[in-house]
Amino acid sequence: MIYITQLIFVKEGKEEKSLEFERHAIPLMEKYNGKLIYRLRPSKNDFIDNDKEIPYEIHFISFESEQDLTEFMKDDSRLGFIHLKDESIKSILLVKGEKL
């Protein structure tokens, strides 16, 4: 089992395109043994140290294996709507880990 944390930074005014991408991508993860554990949309008040840009959303995701994640990333239907992500996402800080 692998775990992924994503801090997602969205281009200003492109929030709806980002959400449209997620409406496609999140259900597709299940096909590849992926699961969205938590999806958070924090505000500035949620951060103790907030001198940096605040992410639009934070996702905690799991996949059964690295292979499942790789297959999800290469899925043809996902690639068909990847332009929504490219148009809306400024950057993503992605951290992979395992349960301790």
Side-chain angles (χ1 to χ4, degrees):
M1 182 75 70
I2 62 168
Y3 294 90
I4 298 169
T5 303
Q6 294 180 316
L7 280 72
I8 302 169
F9 299 89
V10 175
K11 296 174 185 174
E12 189 172 333
K14 299 293 185 172
E15 295 82 4
E16 187 54 43
K17 280 207 184 280
S18 173
L19 296 174
E20 187 177 347
F21 172 76
E22 290 177 357
R23 282 192 288 274
H24 293 288
I26 291 171
L28 183 61
M29 289 187 325
E30 292 179 10
K31 178 178 174 183
Y32 297 98
N33 301 309
K35 180 178 178 184
L36 179 65
I37 300 168
Y38 298 111
R39 180 179 175 194
L40 309 166
R41 191 167 299 149
S43 70
K44 285 191 176 219
N45 294 335
D46 295 322
F47 289 81
I48 296 167
D49 180 10
N50 62 356
D51 63 339
K52 304 221 182 329
E53 182 180 9
I54 303 299
Y56 179 69
E57 285 191 350
I58 300 171
H59 295 179
F60 295 96
I61 301 167
S62 68
F63 281 90
E64 290 288 324
S65 69
E66 189 73 37
Q67 182 65 33
D68 288 330
L69 172 60
T70 299
E71 293 300 318
F72 167 71
M73 298 296 283
K74 295 188 317 185
D75 182 276
D76 287 338
S77 64
R78 180 182 176 276
L79 297 176
F81 53 81
I82 198 73
H83 67 280
L84 297 169
K85 178 181 175 186
D86 295 340
E87 293 171 19
S88 63
I89 302 299
K90 183 185 336 181
S91 66
I92 296 175
L93 175 60
L94 185 143
V95 180
K96 287 185 188 178
E98 58 187 42
K99 190 173 184 176
L100 300 177

